[in-house]
Amino acid sequence: MSITRKHTNQRMSRIVVHNGTVYLCGQVCKDATQGIKEQTQTMLDKVDALLEEANSDRKHILSATVYISDMQYFAQMNEVWDAWVPEGHAPARACVQAAMARPELLVEVSVVAAVKQD
């Protein structure tokens, strides 16, 4: 089985595809000066774009790990998340409080998805 890596640098690849499975590196928001809802939405927009590039989409997400800087943001993050996940396609998910790479980041997500079967 071949492994396809996209947007690769010394440290990581943004997308890895192997054996019909898409692995995305951790995604964060576009603008860390925004609040939790905006950060969550732009983070999920980036996930959408990467999944599309890998021939997948949010209906094919198998699992997601959400890292949140403070659980005080949990309900607000979930409002955006719940509106984003298609009904009937909720992935396995974990959400943990974690220190972020930069203090202004409030949320990050790592996603594993299946490639769409054409």
Side-chain angles (χ1 to χ4, degrees):
M1 297 281 165
S2 67
I3 299 172
T4 302
R5 300 173 198 279
K6 296 182 177 189
H7 309 289
T8 301
N9 63 34
Q10 179 65 31
R11 185 168 295 148
M12 67 184 157
S13 298
R14 291 185 72 199
I15 302 169
V16 175
V17 181
H18 176 256
N19 201 25
T21 305
V22 178
Y23 302 86
L24 301 183
C25 70
Q27 297 300 305
V28 296
C29 64
K30 289 185 179 187
D31 181 357
T33 66
Q34 299 292 310
I36 185 63
K37 287 185 177 184
E38 295 82 2
Q39 285 197 26
T40 303
Q41 186 61 60
T42 61
M43 171 190 76
L44 295 174
D45 292 344
K46 289 169 71 175
V47 168
D48 280 334
L50 291 170
L51 288 174
E52 181 178 340
E53 184 176 345
N55 192 31
S56 189
D57 60 29
R58 60 180 95 155
K59 288 183 178 181
H60 288 79
I61 296 175
L62 303 171
S63 69
T65 303
V66 179
Y67 304 93
I68 194 164
S69 65
D70 190 312
M71 282 298 173
Q72 72 172 326
Y73 302 124
F74 186 72
Q76 292 177 313
M77 179 276 297
N78 275 327
E79 284 180 43
V80 178
W81 175 270
D82 292 346
W84 180 77
V85 174
E87 188 172 337
H89 295 278
R93 191 186 95 164
C95 183
V96 297
Q97 183 171 317
M100 298 294 166
R102 299 189 328 260
E104 62 273 16
L105 293 171
L106 304 177
V107 63
E108 180 173 348
V109 67
S110 181
V111 169
V112 177
V115 173
K116 289 192 271 187
Q117 301 298 312
D118 295 326

